[in-house]
Coordinates of all heavy atoms in Angstrom, one line a residue:
M1 N 12.2 15.8 11.5 CA 11.4 15.0 10.6 C 11.4 13.5 11.0 O 12.4 13.0 11.5 CB 12.0 15.1 9.1 CG 12.1 16.5 8.6 SD 10.5 17.1 8.0 CE 10.6 16.7 6.3
A2 N 10.3 12.9 10.7 CA 10.2 11.5 11.0 C 9.3 10.8 9.9 O 8.6 11.5 9.3 CB 9.5 11.3 12.4
S3 N 9.6 9.5 9.8 CA 8.7 8.8 8.9 C 7.4 8.5 9.5 O 7.3 8.1 10.6 CB 9.4 7.5 8.5 OG 10.5 7.7 7.7
Y4 N 6.3 8.9 8.7 CA 5.0 8.6 9.2 C 4.3 7.5 8.4 O 4.6 7.4 7.2 CB 4.1 9.9 9.2 CG 4.4 10.8 10.3 CD1 5.5 11.7 10.3 CD2 3.6 10.8 11.5 CE1 5.7 12.5 11.4 CE2 3.8 11.6 12.6 CZ 4.9 12.4 12.5 OH 5.2 13.2 13.6
Y5 N 3.4 6.8 9.1 CA 2.7 5.7 8.4 C 1.2 5.8 8.7 O 0.8 6.3 9.7 CB 3.2 4.4 9.0 CG 4.7 4.1 8.7 CD1 5.7 4.5 9.5 CD2 5.0 3.4 7.5 CE1 7.0 4.2 9.2 CE2 6.3 3.2 7.2 CZ 7.3 3.6 8.1 OH 8.6 3.3 7.8
L6 N 0.5 5.3 7.7 CA -0.9 5.1 7.9 C -1.0 3.6 8.4 O -0.6 2.7 7.7 CB -1.7 5.3 6.6 CG -3.2 5.4 6.7 CD1 -3.6 6.5 7.7 CD2 -3.8 5.7 5.4
A7 N -1.6 3.4 9.6 CA -1.5 2.1 10.2 C -2.5 1.1 9.7 O -2.9 0.2 10.4 CB -1.6 2.3 11.7
S8 N -3.0 1.3 8.5 CA -3.8 0.3 7.8 C -4.1 0.9 6.4 O -4.0 2.1 6.2 CB -5.1 0.0 8.5 OG -5.9 1.2 8.7
N9 N -4.4 0.0 5.5 CA -4.6 0.4 4.1 C -6.0 0.6 3.8 O -6.8 -0.3 3.8 CB -4.0 -0.7 3.2 CG -4.0 -0.2 1.7 OD1 -4.7 0.7 1.4 ND2 -3.2 -0.9 0.9
P10 N -6.4 1.9 3.6 CA -7.9 2.2 3.3 C -8.4 1.5 2.1 O -9.6 1.3 2.0 CB -7.9 3.7 3.2 CG -6.7 4.2 3.8 CD -5.7 3.1 3.6
N11 N -7.5 1.1 1.2 CA -8.0 0.4 0.0 C -8.2 -1.1 0.2 O -8.7 -1.8 -0.7 CB -7.0 0.6 -1.1 CG -7.0 2.1 -1.6 OD1 -8.1 2.8 -1.5 ND2 -5.9 2.6 -2.1
L12 N -7.9 -1.6 1.4 CA -8.1 -3.0 1.7 C -9.3 -3.1 2.6 O -9.5 -2.2 3.4 CB -6.9 -3.6 2.4 CG -5.7 -3.8 1.6 CD1 -4.5 -4.3 2.5 CD2 -5.8 -4.7 0.4
P13 N -10.2 -4.1 2.4 CA -11.3 -4.3 3.3 C -10.7 -4.6 4.7 O -9.8 -5.4 4.8 CB -12.0 -5.5 2.7 CG -11.0 -6.2 1.9 CD -10.1 -5.2 1.4
N14 N -11.3 -4.0 5.7 CA -10.8 -4.4 7.1 C -12.0 -4.9 7.9 O -13.1 -4.6 7.6 CB -10.1 -3.2 7.7 CG -10.9 -1.9 7.8 OD1 -12.1 -2.0 7.6 ND2 -10.3 -0.8 8.0
N15 N -11.6 -5.6 8.9 CA -12.6 -6.3 9.7 C -13.3 -5.5 10.8 O -12.9 -5.7 11.9 CB -12.0 -7.6 10.2 CG -11.4 -8.4 9.1 OD1 -11.9 -8.6 8.1 ND2 -10.2 -9.0 9.4
G16 N -14.1 -4.6 10.4 CA -14.8 -3.8 11.5 C -14.1 -2.6 12.0 O -14.7 -1.8 12.6
C17 N -12.8 -2.5 11.7 CA -12.0 -1.4 12.1 C -12.0 -0.4 11.0 O -11.3 -0.5 10.1 CB -10.6 -1.8 12.6 SG -9.6 -0.4 13.1
D18 N -12.8 0.7 11.1 CA -12.9 1.6 10.0 C -12.0 2.8 10.1 O -11.8 3.5 9.2 CB -14.4 2.1 10.0 CG -15.3 1.1 9.5 OD1 -15.0 0.3 8.6 OD2 -16.4 1.0 10.1
I19 N -11.4 3.0 11.3 CA -10.6 4.2 11.5 C -9.1 3.8 11.1 O -8.6 2.8 11.5 CB -10.6 4.7 12.9 CG1 -12.1 5.1 13.3 CG2 -9.7 5.9 13.2 CD1 -12.6 6.2 12.5
H20 N -8.5 4.7 10.3 CA -7.1 4.5 9.9 C -6.2 5.5 10.7 O -6.4 6.7 10.5 CB -7.0 4.6 8.4 CG -7.9 3.7 7.7 ND1 -7.7 2.4 7.5 CD2 -9.1 4.0 7.1 CE1 -8.7 1.8 6.9 NE2 -9.6 2.8 6.6
R21 N -5.4 5.0 11.5 CA -4.5 5.8 12.3 C -3.2 6.2 11.6 O -2.6 5.4 10.9 CB -4.2 5.1 13.6 CG -5.4 4.7 14.5 CD -6.1 6.0 15.0 NE -7.3 5.6 15.8 CZ -8.1 6.5 16.2 NH1 -7.9 7.8 16.0 NH2 -9.2 6.2 16.9
V22 N -2.8 7.5 11.9 CA -1.5 7.9 11.4 C -0.5 7.9 12.6 O -0.8 8.5 13.6 CB -1.7 9.4 10.9 CG1 -0.3 10.0 10.5 CG2 -2.6 9.4 9.6
C23 N 0.6 7.3 12.4 CA 1.6 7.1 13.4 C 3.0 7.4 12.9 O 3.3 7.1 11.8 CB 1.6 5.7 14.0 SG 0.3 5.3 15.1
P24 N 3.8 8.0 13.7 CA 5.2 8.1 13.4 C 6.0 6.7 13.5 O 5.5 5.9 14.3 CB 5.8 9.1 14.3 CG 4.9 8.9 15.6 CD 3.6 8.5 15.1
E25 N 7.1 6.6 12.9 CA 7.9 5.5 13.0 C 8.3 5.3 14.5 O 8.6 6.3 15.2 CB 9.2 5.7 12.2 CG 10.0 4.4 12.0 CD 11.1 4.7 11.0 OE1 11.7 5.8 11.0 OE2 11.4 3.8 10.2
G26 N 8.2 4.1 15.0 CA 8.6 3.9 16.4 C 7.4 3.8 17.3 O 7.5 3.5 18.5
C27 N 6.2 4.2 16.8 CA 5.0 4.1 17.7 C 4.7 2.6 18.0 O 4.7 1.8 17.1 CB 3.8 4.7 17.0 SG 2.3 4.5 17.9
P28 N 4.4 2.3 19.3 CA 4.1 0.9 19.6 C 2.8 0.4 19.0 O 2.6 -0.8 19.0 CB 4.1 0.9 21.1 CG 3.8 2.4 21.5 CD 4.5 3.2 20.4
N29 N 2.0 1.3 18.5 CA 0.7 0.9 17.9 C 0.8 0.6 16.5 O -0.1 0.2 15.9 CB -0.3 2.0 18.1 CG -0.7 2.2 19.6 OD1 -0.4 1.4 20.4 ND2 -1.3 3.3 19.9
L30 N 2.0 0.8 15.9 CA 2.1 0.5 14.4 C 2.0 -1.0 14.2 O 2.5 -1.8 14.9 CB 3.5 0.9 14.0 CG 3.7 2.3 13.4 CD1 5.1 2.6 13.0 CD2 2.8 2.6 12.2
P31 N 1.2 -1.3 13.1 CA 1.1 -2.7 12.7 C 2.3 -3.2 12.0 O 3.2 -2.4 11.7 CB -0.2 -2.7 11.8 CG -0.1 -1.3 11.2 CD 0.4 -0.4 12.3
P32 N 2.3 -4.5 11.6 CA 3.5 -5.0 10.8 C 3.6 -4.3 9.5 O 2.6 -3.7 9.0 CB 3.1 -6.5 10.6 CG 2.1 -6.8 11.6 CD 1.4 -5.5 12.0
P33 N 4.8 -4.2 8.9 CA 5.0 -3.5 7.6 C 4.0 -3.8 6.5 O 3.6 -2.9 5.8 CB 6.4 -3.9 7.2 CG 7.1 -4.2 8.5 CD 6.0 -4.8 9.4
V34 N 3.5 -5.0 6.4 CA 2.6 -5.3 5.3 C 1.2 -4.6 5.5 O 0.5 -4.5 4.5 CB 2.3 -6.8 5.2 CG1 3.6 -7.5 4.7 CG2 1.9 -7.4 6.5
E35 N 0.9 -4.2 6.7 CA -0.4 -3.6 7.0 C -0.3 -2.1 7.1 O -1.3 -1.4 7.4 CB -1.0 -4.2 8.3 CG -1.3 -5.6 8.2 CD -1.7 -6.2 9.5 OE1 -2.2 -5.5 10.4 OE2 -1.5 -7.4 9.7
R36 N 0.8 -1.5 6.8 CA 0.9 0.0 6.9 C 1.4 0.6 5.6 O 2.0 -0.1 4.8 CB 1.8 0.4 8.1 CG 3.2 0.0 7.9 CD 4.0 0.0 9.3 NE 5.4 0.0 9.1 CZ 6.3 -0.4 10.0 NH1 5.9 -0.7 11.2 NH2 7.6 -0.4 9.8
I37 N 1.2 1.9 5.5 CA 1.6 2.6 4.3 C 2.5 3.8 4.7 O 2.2 4.5 5.6 CB 0.3 3.2 3.6 CG1 -0.5 2.0 3.1 CG2 0.7 4.1 2.5 CD1 -1.9 2.5 2.7
N38 N 3.6 3.8 4.0 CA 4.6 4.9 4.3 C 4.1 6.2 3.7 O 3.8 6.3 2.5 CB 6.0 4.5 3.8 CG 7.1 5.4 4.3 OD1 6.8 6.6 4.7 ND2 8.3 5.0 4.2
L39 N 3.9 7.2 4.6 CA 3.5 8.5 4.1 C 4.7 9.5 3.8 O 4.5 10.5 3.2 CB 2.6 9.2 5.1 CG 1.3 8.5 5.5 CD1 0.6 9.0 6.7 CD2 0.3 8.5 4.3
G40 N 5.9 9.0 4.1 CA 7.1 9.8 3.9 C 7.6 10.5 5.1 O 7.0 10.4 6.2
D41 N 8.6 11.3 4.9 CA 9.2 12.0 6.1 C 8.5 13.4 6.2 O 8.5 14.2 5.3 CB 10.7 12.3 5.8 CG 11.5 11.0 6.0 OD1 11.1 10.1 6.7 OD2 12.6 11.0 5.4
L42 N 7.9 13.6 7.4 CA 7.0 14.7 7.6 C 7.4 15.4 8.9 O 7.8 14.7 9.9 CB 5.5 14.3 7.6 CG 5.1 13.7 6.2 CD1 3.8 12.9 6.3 CD2 5.0 14.8 5.1
P43 N 7.1 16.7 9.1 CA 7.5 17.4 10.3 C 6.7 17.1 11.5 O 7.3 17.1 12.6 CB 7.4 18.9 9.9 CG 6.4 18.9 8.7 CD 6.6 17.6 8.0
D44 N 5.4 16.8 11.4 CA 4.6 16.5 12.5 C 3.4 15.6 12.2 O 3.1 15.5 11.0 CB 4.2 17.8 13.3 CG 3.6 18.7 12.3 OD1 2.7 18.3 11.5 OD2 3.8 19.9 12.5
S45 N 2.7 15.2 13.2 CA 1.6 14.3 12.9 C 0.4 15.0 12.3 O -0.3 14.4 11.5 CB 1.1 13.6 14.2 OG 0.7 14.6 15.2
K46 N 0.3 16.3 12.5 CA -0.8 17.1 11.9 C -0.6 17.1 10.4 O -1.6 16.9 9.6 CB -0.8 18.5 12.5 CG -2.0 19.3 12.1 CD -1.9 20.7 12.7 CE -3.0 21.6 12.2 NZ -2.8 23.0 12.6
T47 N 0.6 17.3 9.9 CA 0.9 17.3 8.5 C 0.7 15.9 8.0 O 0.2 15.7 6.9 CB 2.4 17.7 8.3 OG1 2.6 19.0 8.9 CG2 2.7 17.8 6.8
A48 N 1.1 14.9 8.7 CA 1.0 13.5 8.3 C -0.5 13.1 8.1 O -0.9 12.5 7.1 CB 1.6 12.5 9.3
I49 N -1.4 13.6 9.0 CA -2.8 13.3 8.8 C -3.3 14.0 7.6 O -4.1 13.4 6.8 CB -3.6 13.8 10.1 CG1 -3.2 12.9 11.3 CG2 -5.1 13.8 9.8 CD1 -3.6 13.5 12.6
H50 N -2.9 15.2 7.3 CA -3.3 16.0 6.1 C -2.9 15.2 4.9 O -3.6 15.1 3.9 CB -2.7 17.4 6.2 CG -3.0 18.2 5.0 ND1 -4.3 18.8 4.9 CD2 -2.3 18.6 3.9 CE1 -4.3 19.5 3.7 NE2 -3.1 19.4 3.1
V51 N -1.6 14.8 4.8 CA -1.1 14.0 3.7 C -1.9 12.7 3.5 O -2.3 12.4 2.3 CB 0.4 13.7 3.9 CG1 0.9 12.7 2.8 CG2 1.2 15.0 3.8
A52 N -2.2 12.0 4.5 CA -2.9 10.8 4.4 C -4.3 11.0 3.9 O -4.9 10.3 3.1 CB -3.0 10.1 5.8
R53 N -5.0 12.1 4.4 CA -6.3 12.4 4.0 C -6.4 12.8 2.5 O -7.4 12.5 1.8 CB -6.9 13.5 4.8 CG -7.4 13.0 6.2 CD -7.9 14.1 7.1 NE -8.4 13.5 8.3 CZ -8.6 14.2 9.5 NH1 -8.3 15.5 9.5 NH2 -9.1 13.7 10.5
R54 N -5.3 13.5 2.0 CA -5.3 13.9 0.6 C -5.0 12.7 -0.2 O -5.6 12.6 -1.3 CB -4.2 15.0 0.5 CG -4.3 15.7 -0.8 CD -3.4 16.9 -0.8 NE -2.0 16.5 -0.5 CZ -1.0 17.4 -0.3 NH1 -1.2 18.7 -0.5 NH2 0.2 17.0 0.0
K55 N -4.2 11.8 0.2 CA -3.8 10.6 -0.5 C -5.0 9.7 -0.7 O -5.2 9.0 -1.7 CB -2.7 9.9 0.2 CG -1.9 8.8 -0.6 CD -0.8 8.3 0.3 CE 0.0 7.1 -0.4 NZ 0.9 7.6 -1.4
F56 N -5.8 9.5 0.4 CA -7.0 8.7 0.4 C -8.2 9.5 0.7 O -8.9 9.4 1.7 CB -6.8 7.6 1.5 CG -5.6 6.7 1.3 CD1 -4.5 6.9 2.0 CD2 -5.7 5.7 0.3 CE1 -3.4 6.1 1.8 CE2 -4.6 4.8 0.1 CZ -3.4 5.0 0.8
Y57 N -8.4 10.5 -0.3 CA -9.5 11.5 -0.1 C -10.8 10.9 0.1 O -11.7 11.4 0.8 CB -9.5 12.5 -1.2 CG -9.6 11.8 -2.6 CD1 -10.9 11.6 -3.1 CD2 -8.5 11.4 -3.3 CE1 -11.0 11.0 -4.4 CE2 -8.6 10.8 -4.5 CZ -9.9 10.6 -5.1 OH -10.0 10.0 -6.3
N58 N -11.1 9.7 -0.5 CA -12.4 9.1 -0.4 C -12.6 8.4 1.0 O -13.7 7.9 1.3 CB -12.7 8.1 -1.6 CG -11.6 7.1 -1.8 OD1 -10.4 7.4 -1.3 ND2 -11.9 6.0 -2.4
H59 N -11.5 8.3 1.7 CA -11.6 7.8 3.1 C -11.2 8.8 4.1 O -10.9 8.4 5.3 CB -10.7 6.5 3.2 CG -11.0 5.4 2.3 ND1 -12.0 4.5 2.5 CD2 -10.5 5.1 1.1 CE1 -12.1 3.7 1.5 NE2 -11.2 4.0 0.6
A60 N -11.1 10.0 3.7 CA -10.5 11.1 4.6 C -11.2 11.2 6.0 O -10.6 11.4 7.0 CB -10.6 12.4 3.9
H61 N -12.5 11.0 6.0 CA -13.3 11.1 7.3 C -12.9 10.0 8.2 O -13.3 10.0 9.4 CB -14.8 11.1 7.0 CG -15.3 9.9 6.2 ND1 -14.9 9.6 4.9 CD2 -16.1 8.9 6.6 CE1 -15.5 8.5 4.6 NE2 -16.2 8.1 5.5
L62 N -12.3 8.9 7.7 CA -11.9 7.8 8.6 C -10.5 7.8 9.0 O -10.0 6.9 9.8 CB -12.2 6.5 7.8 CG -13.6 6.2 7.4 CD1 -13.7 4.9 6.5 CD2 -14.5 6.1 8.6
I63 N -9.7 8.8 8.6 CA -8.3 8.9 8.9 C -8.1 9.9 10.1 O -8.6 11.0 10.1 CB -7.5 9.4 7.7 CG1 -7.5 8.3 6.6 CG2 -6.0 9.7 8.1 CD1 -7.0 8.7 5.3
D64 N -7.4 9.4 11.1 CA -7.2 10.2 12.3 C -5.9 9.9 12.9 O -5.2 9.0 12.5 CB -8.3 9.9 13.3 CG -8.6 11.1 14.2 OD1 -7.8 12.1 14.2 OD2 -9.5 11.0 15.0
G65 N -5.5 10.8 13.8 CA -4.2 10.6 14.5 C -4.3 9.4 15.5 O -5.3 9.2 16.0
C66 N -3.1 8.8 15.7 CA -3.0 7.8 16.7 C -3.2 8.4 18.1 O -2.5 9.4 18.4 CB -1.7 7.1 16.6 SG -1.2 6.1 18.0
A67 N -4.1 7.9 18.9 CA -4.3 8.4 20.2 C -3.0 8.4 21.1 O -2.8 9.3 21.8 CB -5.4 7.6 20.9
H68 N -2.3 7.4 20.9 CA -1.0 7.2 21.7 C -0.1 8.4 21.4 O 0.5 8.9 22.3 CB -0.4 5.9 21.4 CG 0.9 5.7 22.1 ND1 2.1 6.1 21.7 CD2 1.1 5.1 23.3 CE1 3.0 5.8 22.6 NE2 2.5 5.1 23.6
C69 N 0.1 8.7 20.1 CA 1.0 9.7 19.7 C 0.5 11.1 19.8 O 1.2 12.0 20.3 CB 1.5 9.5 18.3 SG 2.1 7.8 18.0
T70 N -0.8 11.3 19.4 CA -1.4 12.6 19.4 C -1.6 13.2 20.8 O -1.4 14.4 21.0 CB -2.7 12.6 18.6 OG1 -2.5 11.9 17.4 CG2 -3.2 14.0 18.3
N71 N -2.0 12.4 21.7 CA -2.4 12.8 23.0 C -1.2 12.9 24.0 O -1.3 13.5 25.1 CB -3.5 12.0 23.6 CG -4.8 12.1 22.8 OD1 -4.9 13.1 22.1 ND2 -5.6 11.2 22.9
S72 N -0.1 12.2 23.7 CA 1.0 12.2 24.6 C 1.8 13.5 24.5 O 2.0 14.0 23.4 CB 1.9 11.0 24.4 OG 2.5 11.0 23.2
T73 N 2.3 14.0 25.6 CA 3.2 15.1 25.6 C 4.5 14.8 26.3 O 4.5 13.8 27.0 CB 2.5 16.3 26.3 OG1 2.6 16.0 27.7 CG2 1.1 16.6 25.9
P74 N 5.5 15.5 26.0 CA 6.8 15.2 26.6 C 6.8 15.3 28.2 O 7.6 14.7 28.8 CB 7.8 16.3 26.1 CG 7.1 16.8 24.9 CD 5.6 16.6 25.1
H75 N 5.7 16.0 28.7 CA 5.7 16.1 30.2 C 5.0 14.9 30.8 O 5.2 14.7 32.0 CB 4.8 17.3 30.5 CG 5.4 18.6 29.9 ND1 6.6 19.2 30.2 CD2 4.9 19.3 28.9 CE1 6.8 20.2 29.5 NE2 5.7 20.4 28.7
E76 N 4.3 14.1 30.0 CA 3.6 13.0 30.6 C 4.4 11.7 30.4 O 4.7 11.3 29.3 CB 2.2 12.8 30.0 CG 1.2 13.9 30.4 CD -0.1 13.8 29.6 OE1 -0.1 13.8 28.4 OE2 -1.1 13.7 30.3
T77 N 4.7 11.1 31.5 CA 5.3 9.8 31.4 C 4.6 8.8 32.3 O 4.0 9.1 33.3 CB 6.8 9.8 31.9 OG1 6.8 10.5 33.2 CG2 7.6 10.6 30.9
L78 N 4.5 7.6 31.8 CA 3.8 6.5 32.5 C 4.9 5.7 33.3 O 5.6 4.9 32.7 CB 3.0 5.6 31.6 CG 1.9 6.3 30.9 CD1 1.3 5.4 29.8 CD2 0.8 6.6 31.8
N79 N 5.0 6.0 34.6 CA 6.0 5.2 35.3 C 5.3 4.1 36.1 O 4.4 4.2 36.7 CB 6.6 6.2 36.4 CG 7.5 7.2 35.7 OD1 8.2 6.8 34.7 ND2 7.5 8.4 36.1
Ligands
ZN101 ZN1 0.9 6.0 17.3

């Protein structure tokens, strides 16, 4: 389990960035604490996205996984 965050608050107006990313704790793409929402301790990013979309159902189409976290696999390392 890991703490997951929504990396921006859908209820706040944002400056042209309409997509709200879901990231686990420790992701380098996470914004400062004031700009993120704790989704709780969840088993994986897929669940976290589901929780975020349910919580902000009127913005669900704008909520997606963080590219950094979702697309990386344990086999891929950037050396
Ligand atoms: Zn991330």
